[in-house]
Each structure stands twice: as C-alpha cells, then as structure tokens.
Amino acid sequence: MELQLNQQTVTLPPEQQAHPLLWWLREERGLTGTRFGCGQGVCGACTMHLDGQAVRACITPCHAAAGHRVTTIEGLAPSADTLHPVQQAWLELAVAQCGYCQSGQIMGAAALLAQHSRPTDAQIDAVMAGHLCRCGSYERIRAAIHRAAQIAAGSAR
C-alpha cells in the first residue's frame, strides 16, 4: 500500500494497515509532531490532513490513507525556508503556552483556512471547538487564525 506522506511516496507494510495512523506516523516514521492526547478522536492533539481535510490520526486506520495525501505538522510548511501562514501567525502572536496541543491546533486552523480564506469568529469557534487546550489559549488561537488569514491574503496588519 502506497500513500503520499508530506509530499513523498511511502509504502505501508501490510502488518501496519489496521493500526491507527497516529502510531505508524510516530513510531515507524518518527513524525512525533502529531501528538497522542485522548486516543478517542475528541481532543484534537493528533490532527493531521488527509487529502487536505483535518482528521484525527488516533482513530484513523492506516489503510484509510492508501492512495491518499497525508500531511503532518512536519510537512505543513511549503518549504524549509517558508512557514505556513498559520505557523507564522502562531509565532507572531506567541499562541503556545505548554505547546502540547498546538500541532493539532495548527493543523485544524490550516484546514479551516483552506476552506474559508476569511473565517468569521463563529466559523473559527465551530471548527476549533474540537481542539482542546488545557492552557486556555483560545483567544490567542482565534486571533492567530485571523492573522494567518491576513498573511495568506498578503496583508500587513
């Protein structure tokens, strides 16, 4: 079984196909930016993209990725020299506190902006409600998503 993982074609061994994608990414591929949180798809720490859609890696079996594009936080930036607008906004606004949930938050925000280039607070809240942050940085997360939309549109402040 082949899939595109962060713009590279990789083969998934048959014995891994029924396992959760989260563990294959972390244990077999060394992509530890996708985090284990609840193991039930509720907290959002394990969010990654499957064909551009935000999905929970802890409840997605590896075989579901066959023939698809998987993007993790490690593959989100367009190049080694350029951050994704969401990553840039996160840094500008110092969103992270402990940082544990932030890769999932960033991946959720990036998927949101791919669908809504100028999301409203209501759209942000609806999508990001599925991402839990124990530090409570929700206001900074919302502000960073608005800032990322500005960056992506080529706007200054």
Side-chain angles (χ1 to χ4, degrees):
M1 171 178 101
E2 287 188 344
L3 58 103
Q4 291 292 315
L5 176 59
N6 296 333
Q7 296 86 42
Q8 295 181 354
T9 301
V10 296
T11 301
L12 180 69
E15 65 274 7
Q16 297 287 322
Q17 292 181 17
H19 294 161
L21 200 50
L22 172 68
W23 299 117
W24 179 73
L25 291 168
R26 291 182 59 80
E27 304 296 326
E28 303 299 323
R29 303 303 302 182
L31 299 172
T32 57
T34 304
R35 305 283 174 81
F36 175 77
C38 66
Q40 299 174 359
V42 176
C43 74
C46 67
T47 302
M48 47 132 232
H49 294 173
L50 186 63
D51 290 338
Q53 299 296 310
V55 298
R56 305 297 204 248
C58 72
I59 59 170
T60 302
C62 289
H63 64 78
H68 296 281
R69 291 178 296 112
V70 172
T71 306
T72 66
I73 189 73
E74 293 90 348
L76 185 62
S79 73
D81 300 327
T82 306
L83 293 175
H84 186 279
V86 175
Q87 293 169 314
Q88 184 178 338
W90 244 247
L91 290 172
E92 282 182 18
L93 299 180
V95 171
Q97 285 187 38
C98 83
Y100 194 82
C101 69
Q102 295 305 301
S103 60
Q105 300 270 3
I106 289 169
M107 295 303 287
L112 169 65
L113 288 175
Q115 292 181 346
H116 304 282
S117 62
R118 296 297 246 205
T120 65
D121 282 348
Q123 289 171 320
I124 292 170
D125 292 348
V127 168
M128 301 308 287
H131 293 269
L132 304 179
C133 175
R134 292 180 62 146
C135 300
S137 60
Y138 299 112
E139 291 299 317
R140 288 197 312 263
I141 288 168
R142 185 187 301 131
I145 293 170
H146 285 300
R147 175 66 184 129
Q150 291 175 334
I151 294 167
S155 303
R157 285 203 178 224

